[in-house]
Amino acid sequence: MYWSKTFIPTLREDPGEAEIASHRLMIRAGLTRRLAGGLYSYHPLVLRSLQKLETIIREEMNRAGAIELLMPALQPREVWEQSRRYSIMGEVMFKLKDRQGRDLVLGPTHEEVITDLVAHEIKSYRDLPKTFYQIQTKFRDEIRPRFGLMRAREFVMKDAYSFDISLSAADKSYQAMYDAYCRIFERCGLRTKIVEADTGAMGGKWSHEFMVLADAGEDGLVECPSCSYAANLEKAERSVPLAEQAVSSEPLRKISTPGARTIEDVSSFLGCRPSSLIKTLVYVADGKPVAALVPGDRDVNEKKLQNVLEASTLSLADEATIQRVTGAPVGFAGPVGLRIPIVADISLKHAVNRVVGANKADAHMLNFDINRDAAVSLFGDIVIARGGDGCPRCSGSLAEERGIEVGHVFKLGTKYSQAFGAEYLDEKGQRLPIVMGCYGIGVTRTLQAIIEQQHDANGIIWPPSVAPYQAVVLPMSSTPEALRVLETLKASLEQAAVDYIVDDREERAGVKFKDADLVGFPMRVVISEKSLANGKIEIKARGDASAEMVPPGDAVITIKNLLSTAVPTR
RNA sequence: CGGGGAGUAGCGCAGACUGGUAGCGCGUUUGGUUCGGGACCAAAAGGUCAUGGGUUCAAAUCCCAUCUCCCCGACCA
């Protein structure tokens, strides 16, 4: 390919619309342009990367025994009603009507369609197990599209669904996908962290997320350096030392704290640390108010709280409810004398001499003793874990990181198969629900995550396996000898199946060097009169500081060697 | 939806407070000189100042409304 023939609209300056490195680079390197919020065109170069990534995914899915199919992106409302997700997912779905007035949605995911298909077509244990996958454009009306392809409203996803006769058989399918995911991300040159995750709107019992560690990541996670424990913050547990403090309780005392509603207000007013305060938050769980107590410097993890309460719905109480339950305006709630159930974080088990709200405007209580002064109905782990907390699996201490979720695998159980009547007959003629799993990779997001992880001040550093072209050739001379060397090089690159682009533009060398670095081709070959005078051409790997000078005849072997050491392509 | 910022030439920005000729850099076009890390000189093209309304002799500038985009939170691959 010739640079002048394709379409690579690079920018000299950083675009104003982009904040994080990968987003900025995708636009600057001419890989993509925004049409509207969360909607992007894939230019020729990034399309090549996308296709290479899809090929890797297909190879690994097929190797894992999954079968590719393709389902409609346009789906009838009915299947979503059937799984009862029309209301749960309703907000994120693009909805439309056909000319008959029938309701349709643009598929944000395909559990419903695939389960409906399987329910109709698979009847016998002889037909199982099966894992189907597709690579397809998904549509989600995101609350806030962000960071270019990182969170777009239209994006490419690989989704897979497994169907098994039993939980233990489903575990095998799950593991096969899990292993395939590890190979896929490794082949992309990505370092991923696999973390335990919450199942969210997908439902199901168990899931793992594949995270690309990056400061710009949207998810927080913790990991233990001493054992293998790692989890999304939404899910992460922590262990809390329960040794009793050798401090005796002082008498409870009410003090005036005019206007001090927040933890910061109160701690600076009293000149004490936030951790010596206890936050009292009023929630409504399944329609009934409950109070949650956490240390002043910690935040409630609502999912954990919901689990501890075994509640199916949970939300923060509104002002009126707080006023009614505590008898005080927002900001002064406290556990003393409260007549609703109280859940306290496990770390408060022996809390003494703390500061709490007094359930009275402009007043707090000093020297609160949780066992003496409050009626706690339940202690549990209800705060968001953070770095420094104890590991729940060993005696280590957790480290906190940020990550980009590029893949997610779920054990779904029978939630969807029961909703759609996806059942099979076993060898005894018994009718049983099919056990499912589902598995997603954000394909376009993965591409951006690669850039987020692999770039420097000059631009992108593509891993060879997903680079738009593996090599860029810069002809700096048009002498007959240089042209002959170029033609020979092209022929041998083609023979060796190294894809390349020749920068044939009428530009000065500096421009071509800058653009080559910006776009990030793994290999750069420079043919110039100066080096040709010594019978050499120049070869440089994008990530390396210096170039190698080799005879033209050794170019391809040198490139092959450098490519193979850059990143495993398997 | 709540909070914060921004819409002026293809891109990046100034101009606005204090109303009066729309500007700079990059890019683009033409000619010339240059030619291994975003060259130089000269000339040129390119604008409903986001949209609608209002105030005024006069609005990019002041006022009101709307739309769009970016960032922080709730959602997710």
Side-chain angles (χ1 to χ4, degrees):
Chain A
M1 175 56 72
Y2 288 97
W3 196 300
S4 66
K5 299 284 187 291
T6 181
F7 176 62
I8 313 176
T10 59
L11 263 29
R12 291 202 175 207
E13 291 174 273
D14 277 332
E17 77 186 64
E19 195 76 9
I20 66 169
S22 53
H23 185 198
R24 225 165 43 221
L25 287 169
M26 291 199 94
I27 295 167
R28 241 193 105 182
L31 303 183
T32 183
R33 287 292 186 268
R34 185 178 62 80
L35 171 66
L39 299 175
Y40 290 83
S41 296
Y42 306 117
H43 290 356
L45 245 39
V46 83
L47 185 59
R48 287 181 64 89
S49 291
L50 183 59
Q51 286 162 346
K52 288 186 179 185
L53 176 51
E54 289 177 357
T55 299
I56 291 173
I57 292 172
R58 285 197 171 90
E59 285 173 7
E60 294 302 338
M61 284 292 113
N62 296 344
R63 184 211 295 259
I67 319 151
E68 184 170 10
L69 47 53
L70 186 57
M71 293 176 275
L74 200 53
Q75 307 171 0
R77 171 179 180 154
E78 286 70 32
V79 293
W80 290 88
E81 297 285 8
Q82 200 164 348
S83 65
R84 301 211 181 98
R85 285 212 295 181
Y86 193 77
S87 55
I88 300 172
M89 297 285 279
E91 293 283 284
V92 316
M93 289 198 284
F94 285 102
K95 298 168 187 168
L96 57 158
K97 284 185 192 296
D98 67 12
R99 63 174 75 202
Q100 259 75 278
R102 285 184 290 246
D103 289 320
L104 297 165
V105 304
L106 289 174
T109 178
H110 281 245
E111 283 76 20
E112 281 72 7
V113 177
I114 190 75
T115 312
D116 182 74
L117 178 69
V118 166
H120 285 288
E121 306 303 332
I122 291 186
K123 302 288 177 197
S124 158
Y125 74 98
R126 294 177 201 272
D127 300 326
L128 296 171
K130 279 269 186 297
T131 296
F132 296 105
Y133 78 96
Q134 61 176 352
I135 296 176
Q136 187 201 40
T137 299
K138 296 284 190 270
F139 300 87
R140 292 187 188 176
D141 192 359
E142 291 287 345
I143 301 168
R144 181 153 88 91
R146 243 201 295 218
F147 302 149
L149 301 190
M150 199 81 103
R151 177 177 299 278
R153 293 196 290 176
E154 177 180 328
F155 61 98
V156 178
M157 177 166 155
K158 188 286 307 179
D159 45 328
Y161 308 90
S162 64
F163 299 87
D164 281 281
I165 56 166
S166 66
L167 280 173
S168 62
D171 283 348
K172 282 196 189 125
S173 299
Y174 183 88
Q175 191 61 42
M177 285 295 114
Y178 183 107
D179 293 343
Y181 275 33
C182 292
R183 287 196 299 269
I184 288 166
F185 294 123
E186 188 191 329
R187 286 181 62 181
C188 297
L190 272 175
R191 299 181 300 277
T192 52
K193 185 87 210 165
I194 301 169
V195 304
E196 295 178 14
D198 192 80
T199 51
M202 205 60 81
K205 300 178 167 60
W206 187 248
S207 85
H208 287 98
E209 287 170 342
F210 289 72
M211 293 285 196
V212 174
L213 296 184
D215 291 339
E218 297 183 277
D219 294 270
L221 56 101
V222 290
E223 60 173 320
C224 176
S226 323
C227 69
S228 61
Y229 183 74
N232 191 307
L233 280 186
E234 291 174 351
K235 162 102 179 172
E237 304 156 43
R238 77 203 214 281
S239 76
V240 176
L242 286 179
E244 274 188 62
Q245 291 179 318
V247 177
S248 56
S249 274
E250 305 283 329
L252 191 67
R253 190 152 69 82
K254 186 184 287 182
I255 54 154
S256 170
T257 54
R261 291 163 177 270
T262 66
I263 294 293
E264 291 77 42
D265 292 346
V266 178
S267 57
S268 65
F269 181 84
L270 296 173
C272 61
R273 283 184 305 176
S275 56
S276 58
L277 275 58
I278 293 175
K279 250 192 268 194
T280 306
L281 296 159
V282 181
Y283 282 88
V284 177
D286 293 339
K288 291 179 188 147
V290 296
L293 266 43
V294 299
D297 60 339
R298 306 295 301 237
D299 295 312
V300 172
N301 182 325
E302 295 186 4
K303 281 178 176 143
K304 283 190 192 173
L305 178 60
Q306 193 172 347
N307 289 342
V308 165
L309 289 169
E310 295 175 5
S312 50
T313 67
L314 179 80
S315 62
L316 216 43
D318 58 23
E319 280 184 39
T321 308
I322 294 171
Q323 179 90 41
R324 178 170 54 79
V325 169
T326 66
V330 175
F332 300 99
V336 181
L338 218 49
R339 284 200 302 243
I340 55 174
I342 298 175
V343 184
D345 184 63
I346 189 77
S347 66
L348 297 174
K349 190 107 194 178
H350 304 294
V352 296
N353 300 336
R354 303 292 180 100
V355 179
V356 296
N359 294 329
K360 181 171 179 301
D362 300 327
H364 280 76
M365 308 286 262
L366 295 184
N367 302 327
F368 171 76
D369 178 331
I370 200 162
N371 294 306
R372 179 190 65 192
D373 303 324
V376 174
S377 24
L378 196 56
F379 284 94
D381 177 11
I382 60 169
V383 309
I384 299 174
R386 68 182 179 200
D389 281 347
C391 173
R393 301 277 188 275
C394 75
S395 59
S397 117
L398 297 173
E400 196 171 333
E401 313 251 26
R402 296 200 68 74
I404 301 162
E405 182 190 348
V406 289
H408 202 157
V409 292
F410 296 84
K411 290 184 187 178
L412 287 178
T414 56
K415 171 181 169 175
Y416 295 94
S417 43
Q418 285 181 324
F420 286 86
E423 297 170 327
Y424 69 97
L425 293 177
D426 71 5
E427 61 272 36
K428 296 180 199 130
Q430 215 178 349
R431 186 177 293 275
L432 293 166
I434 299 177
V435 182
M436 290 177 59
C438 74
Y439 317 91
I441 290 177
V443 183
T444 38
R445 177 184 284 180
T446 299
L447 229 36
Q448 190 169 333
I450 291 168
I451 297 173
E452 190 64 34
Q453 197 172 71
Q454 312 275 359
H455 71 271
D456 64 15
N458 296 320
I460 303 168
I461 305 174
W462 283 111
S465 57
V466 289
Y469 292 94
Q470 292 169 288
V472 59
V473 179
L474 310 192
M476 296 293 179
S477 162
S478 50
T479 61
E481 190 196 6
L483 292 177
R484 188 178 50 73
V485 168
L486 174 61
E487 288 309 314
T488 313
L489 177 69
K490 280 163 60 183
S492 46
L493 285 172
E494 270 156 35
Q495 192 166 18
V498 175
D499 57 356
Y500 65 91
I501 182 166
V502 178
D503 190 349
D504 59 335
R505 292 176 299 169
E506 301 275 337
E507 289 286 356
R508 293 165 59 86
V511 173
K512 296 188 181 188
F513 284 133
K514 287 287 184 189
D515 273 348
D517 284 350
L518 178 60
V519 177
F521 303 103
M523 293 295 143
R524 189 186 77 192
V525 185
V526 182
I527 303 172
S528 71
E529 267 170 71
K530 208 165 55 182
S531 52
L532 240 31
N534 299 322
K536 302 279 179 65
I537 63 175
E538 175 188 314
I539 295 169
K540 180 179 168 298
R542 174 63 178 83
D544 289 352
S546 59
E548 287 190 36
M549 307 301 293
V550 302
D554 293 350
V556 170
I557 185 77
T558 307
I559 288 169
K560 281 282 207 187
N561 282 339
L562 286 170
L563 283 173
S564 66
T565 54
V567 145
T569 44
R570 207 179 278 253

